């Protein structure tokens, strides 16, 4: 048992020790909030907490009122026959973990059957991305007696890791290869840039390429370099251009030793204008390393103390409009360098998520919608960030703001331990168990389109705009699946209105319809389910009429 806990919680050796360490964390939170910049944060926290509770109460009251009012919106959608939209790779779905997770070599290993089971439950073919803030504090340790290298001076700032360094060992990479084999997942492997050297990066890349073989999709060098001016580089000189120069030095060094190496970059936090700047500079680079994917991250907002991070804001159409704006910039830059885009790290709320938003059913509707919106913008995939509480806490400076929120609400350590840590993680660790969280159910629901090709609305407006123009907060996506079935996903994110939907597949089309729902008792339930209806139906004159209740996802598949 102790061994299992050690595996799951890193250095926590027993439940007791874990609890103590947790309490220590909570108190630490309090202590740091009394100094310097954090002093302001702590005052803000108190004010915003009151506001947050008021907003949350309001939102729930509104939802209930409307639910009793039985609002119904009627919409008809015509589903085209030809799939002319983007194609989703079979490994569209992915997860993102901190490199620090490799510090426990048994975590990603063939022995960790519970984790393997949940990866497979999420997707039979996905992409595991390793990176995160901790990747900038990792170093390659080729032999047990290899000394820890000298590290450059870095600045300690709120929200970034403390200057503690982690060794990545050949054993961890060998185990990772076995884990990927067992799950049938591929890997995007993150090598540090912030405190690394070309020699060490190359030595690590050579070993990783040899060991992961075909399971290695590509390397990334550096995590969120657009934020390096905060703690790792000189803000006076750091820019997309200086980043690109450094990146080229590292990538070229790797490509000399690993001629088949492929890369994703620049893995920015949110500043997608860097993708445009890189695309502008790309044609002037002589013999550039092989970049298959332009990458960026996305968090809806944060941190947990921010009252704007709430369910209504997460699910409102304007949130997805912003995603669309980012996708326009990213996709246009990618097409200029002959690459696709991947959202390699993201989730609902940065700095570890927010209880009551990141870990509830609303997050499932958000992740399904967000994934499919990216798919319809020709993204090659999405990696939702998570892992163990310890690794993510370390990635943001040692503690999760969401814990502070719960403690301020008067929750006991036992109550707090019942939440997933980090709060947004798609796969949570509870003791020795791994659990698929609501946000992962949304991803899984969307991943049913993996390998398929999207069917675009024949009209000027897309399906989602048509739904929203009718006055309901819903979105819809359609695809031709690998087996040639036509499948439509409707996400009714509306807290109150039910959708009466008519899907028109064409008068001459017939077939059997099967449905699957993504559901939970309420938007703020700590659960999510995907249920396949035991009944099938037939089209009537090419049409299928169905009700999509508020706060529910529905998938209609025609075979
Ligand atoms: C991203 C970092 C990652 C953090 C995450 C967060 O890359 O390491 O865990 O934010 O703040 O910016 O939750």
């Amino acid at each position: 048992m102790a061994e299992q806990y050690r595996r799951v919680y890193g250095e926590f050796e027993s439940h007791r020790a874990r609890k103590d360490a947790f309490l220590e964390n909570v108190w630490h939170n309090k202590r740091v909030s009394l100094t310097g910049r954090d002093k302001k944060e702590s005052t803000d926290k108190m004010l915003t907490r009151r506001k947050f509770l008021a907003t949350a109460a309001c939102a729930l009251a509104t939802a209930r009122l409307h639910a009793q009012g039985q609002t119904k919106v009627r919409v008809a959608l015509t589903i085209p026959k030809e799939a002319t939209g983007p194609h989703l790779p079979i490994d569209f779905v992915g997860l993102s973990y901190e490199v620090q997770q490799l510090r426990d070599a048994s975590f990603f290993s063939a022995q960790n059957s519970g984790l393997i089971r949940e990866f497979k439950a999420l997707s039979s073919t996905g992409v595991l991305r390793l990176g995160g803030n901790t990747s900038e504090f990792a170093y390659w340790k080729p032999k047990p007696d290899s000394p820890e290298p000298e590290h450059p001076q870095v600045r300690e700032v709120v929200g970034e890791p403390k200057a503690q360094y982690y060794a990545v060992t050949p054993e961890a990479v060998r185990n990772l290869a076995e884990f990927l084999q067992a799950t049938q997942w591929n890997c995007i492997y993150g090598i540090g840039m912030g405190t690394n050297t070309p020699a060490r990066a190359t030595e690590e890349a050579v070993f990783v390429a040899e060991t992961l073989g075909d399971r290695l999709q590509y390397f990334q060098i550096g995590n969120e370099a657009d934020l390096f001016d905060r703690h790792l580089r000189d803000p006076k000189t750091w820019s997309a251009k200086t980043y690109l120069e450094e990146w080229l030095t590292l990538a070229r060094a790797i490509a000399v030793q690993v001629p088949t190496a492929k890369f994703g970059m620049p893995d920015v936090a949110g500043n997608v204008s860097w993708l445009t700047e890189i695309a502008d500079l790309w044609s002037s680079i002589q013999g550039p390393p092989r970049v298959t994917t332009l990458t960026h991250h996305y968090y809806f907002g944060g941190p947990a103390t921010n009252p704007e991070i709430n369910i209504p804001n997460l699910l409102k159409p304007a949130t997805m409009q912003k995603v669309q704006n980012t996708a326009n910039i990213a996709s246009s830059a990618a097409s200029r360098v002959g690459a696709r885009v991947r959202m390699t790290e993201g989730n609902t709320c940065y700095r570890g998520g927010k209880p009551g938003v990141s870990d509830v059913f609303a997050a499932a509707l958000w992740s399904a919608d967000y994934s499919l919106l990216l798919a319809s913008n020709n993204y090659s995939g999405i990696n939702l960030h998570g892992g163990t509480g310890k690794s993510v806490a370390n990635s943001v400076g040692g503690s999760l703001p969401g814990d502070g929120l719960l403690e301020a609400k008067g929750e006991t350590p036992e109550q707090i331990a019942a939440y997933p840590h980090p709060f947004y993680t798609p796969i949570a660790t509870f003791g020795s168990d791994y659990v698929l969280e609501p946000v992962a159910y949304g991803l899984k629901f969307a991943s049913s389109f993996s390998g398929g090709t999207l069917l675009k609305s024949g009209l000027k407006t897309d399906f989602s705009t048509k739904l929203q123009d009718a006055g309901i907060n819903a979105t819809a996506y359609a695809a031709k699946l690998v087996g040639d079935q036509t499948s439509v996903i409707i996400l009714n994110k509306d807290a109150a209105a039910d959708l009466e939907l008519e899907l028109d597949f064409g008068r001459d089309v017939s077939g059997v319809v099967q449905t699957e729902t993504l559901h939970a008792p309420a938007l703020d339930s700590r659960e999510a389910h995907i249920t396949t209806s035991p009944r099938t139906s037939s089209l009537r004159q090419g049409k299928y009429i169905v009700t999509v209740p508020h706060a529910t996802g529905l998938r209609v598949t025609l075979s």
Side-chain angles (χ1 to χ4, degrees):
M1 193 65 176
E3 166 57 20
Q4 280 164 331
Y5 274 111
R6 197 196 56 69
R7 174 160 55 73
V8 174
Y9 288 104
E11 42 263 54
F12 297 137
E13 285 190 359
S14 67
H15 190 60
R16 187 58 219 245
R18 188 176 152 258
K19 241 164 59 187
D20 291 353
F22 172 75
L23 272 172
E24 170 62 24
N25 238 353
V26 168
W27 288 112
H28 176 72
N29 248 348
K30 254 194 174 162
R31 268 202 310 271
V32 292
S33 64
L34 294 176
T35 56
R37 183 189 148 165
D38 281 313
K39 196 165 181 178
K40 187 180 165 294
E41 286 217 340
S42 129
T43 334
D44 287 352
K45 211 186 269 179
M46 307 252 209
L47 285 176
T48 54
R49 192 183 153 258
R50 230 173 281 141
K51 262 204 254 159
F52 158 71
L53 290 176
T55 320
C58 252
L60 283 179
T62 323
R64 255 179 242 124
L65 259 178
H66 281 273
Q68 282 158 7
Q70 298 258 312
T71 324
K72 275 200 177 133
V73 175
R74 217 168 255 191
V75 182
L77 296 179
T78 304
I79 308 301
K81 295 195 178 72
E82 296 303 316
T84 56
H87 172 74
L88 281 78
I90 53 161
D91 55 7
F92 181 86
V93 154
L95 294 174
S96 162
Y97 280 77
E98 293 291 327
V99 162
Q100 202 216 321
Q101 205 78 67
L102 290 177
R103 190 186 188 193
D104 174 0
S106 65
F107 188 80
F108 291 122
S109 77
Q111 274 65 51
N112 202 353
S113 53
L115 189 63
I116 292 170
R117 188 192 59 230
E118 297 313 316
F119 266 62
K120 284 175 144 175
L122 172 59
S123 173
S124 55
T125 46
V127 178
L128 165 62
R129 174 261 183 181
L130 292 168
N133 286 340
T134 61
S135 66
E136 304 303 351
F137 294 84
Y139 67 92
W140 177 240
K141 186 173 173 164
K143 300 207 177 71
D145 57 357
S146 307
E148 182 168 342
E150 292 268 315
H151 304 293
Q153 195 73 31
V154 300
R155 295 179 293 279
E156 216 168 85
V157 297
V158 176
E160 299 294 345
K162 301 218 161 63
Q164 290 162 346
Y165 290 83
Y166 314 100
V168 175
T169 61
E171 185 199 3
V173 176
R174 270 190 223 109
N175 289 356
L176 171 67
E178 289 178 8
F179 179 85
L180 294 169
Q181 201 52 41
T183 51
Q184 293 291 296
W185 279 44
N186 294 324
C187 185
I188 298 173
Y189 191 92
I191 292 178
M193 173 186 238
T195 64
N196 214 350
T197 61
R200 280 209 307 274
T202 304
E203 206 179 341
E204 181 173 1
V206 167
F207 189 84
V208 169
E210 267 174 26
T211 312
L212 301 191
D214 289 346
R215 295 261 157 229
L216 174 66
Q217 205 160 66
Y218 48 84
F219 289 113
Q220 294 213 95
I221 310 166
N223 176 77
E224 303 192 340
D226 55 329
L227 300 180
F228 276 16
D229 56 352
R230 303 180 65 195
H231 59 316
L232 294 167
R233 292 291 182 275
D234 182 356
K236 288 200 269 327
T237 52
W238 192 240
S239 66
K241 194 164 182 287
T242 45
Y243 154 79
L244 187 58
E245 280 158 14
E246 256 194 50
W247 184 87
L248 281 169
T249 307
L250 286 157
R252 285 201 156 114
I254 291 174
V256 168
Q257 297 297 324
V258 188
T260 55
K262 288 181 265 177
F263 298 92
M265 62 93 88
D267 219 34
V268 287
N271 191 355
V272 284
S273 70
W274 274 38
L275 274 63
T276 310
E277 285 185 60
I278 288 164
D280 290 344
L281 295 165
W282 202 251
S283 58
S284 64
I285 302 169
Q286 297 283 309
R290 189 160 163 220
V291 171
T292 62
T293 318
L294 289 196
T295 60
H296 69 81
H297 297 176
Y298 172 79
Y299 287 84
F300 157 64
T305 45
N306 181 349
E308 296 298 320
I309 308 304
N310 56 46
I311 293 174
N313 281 347
L314 181 69
L315 297 183
K316 68 184 180 190
T319 294
M320 289 301 157
Q321 187 52 55
K322 283 192 196 148
V323 170
Q324 181 59 54
N325 297 344
T326 301
N328 291 342
I329 298 169
S331 311
S332 133
S335 69
R336 288 200 285 140
V337 303
R340 273 179 95 166
V341 191
R342 188 169 184 106
M343 198 296 290
T344 40
E345 187 207 299
N347 216 310
T348 46
C349 168
Y350 60 76
R351 289 202 211 154
K354 178 163 184 161
V357 177
S358 307
D359 56 353
V360 297
F361 182 61
L365 288 175
W366 168 82
S367 63
D369 194 21
Y370 179 67
S371 308
L372 293 172
L373 182 57
L374 294 190
S376 61
N377 280 280
N378 198 30
Y379 275 51
S380 61
I382 158 173
N383 299 78
L384 289 186
H385 196 53
T388 58
K390 181 116 194 91
S391 69
V392 172
N394 281 340
S395 78
V396 295
S399 60
L400 303 175
D403 279 337
L405 265 189
L406 294 172
E407 191 230 2
K409 267 170 81 178
E411 297 212 8
T412 63
E414 284 77 11
Q415 287 170 320
I416 296 175
Y419 292 82
H421 283 78
F423 299 94
Y424 55 44
T425 190
I427 300 176
T429 41
F430 288 107
S432 56
D433 284 346
Y434 294 95
V435 178
L436 222 53
E437 287 291 320
V439 76
Y441 277 86
L443 194 59
K444 182 177 162 69
F445 200 60
S447 86
S448 57
F449 278 11
S450 296
T453 304
L454 292 182
L455 294 154
K456 290 208 287 199
S457 153
L459 305 170
K460 265 204 205 118
T461 49
D462 57 21
F463 301 127
S464 303
T465 312
K466 182 147 193 222
L467 289 162
Q468 285 157 26
D469 285 351
I472 189 159
N473 179 13
T475 54
Y477 306 86
K480 197 54 117 187
L481 305 183
V482 186
D484 213 36
Q485 308 98 315
T486 298
S487 196
V488 184
I489 288 181
I490 308 102
L491 300 164
N492 186 355
K493 301 184 292 172
D494 210 294
D498 294 346
L499 171 65
E500 289 213 338
L501 184 67
E502 178 189 286
L503 292 176
D504 187 350
F505 292 91
R507 261 190 105 71
D508 54 328
V509 178
S510 56
V512 177
V513 170
Q514 195 135 45
T515 59
E516 214 177 41
T517 45
L518 172 66
H519 62 104
L523 284 172
D524 58 355
S525 302
R526 274 272 305 116
E527 58 187 275
H529 309 274
I530 296 177
T531 309
T532 307
S533 163
R535 286 181 304 139
T536 55
S537 10
S538 302
L539 293 187
R540 289 200 178 167
Q541 297 184 316
K543 290 180 180 162
Y544 181 68
I545 296 170
V546 66
T547 300
V548 190
H550 61 279
T552 304
L554 179 77
R555 185 160 88 96
V556 175
T557 304
L558 174 68
S559 325

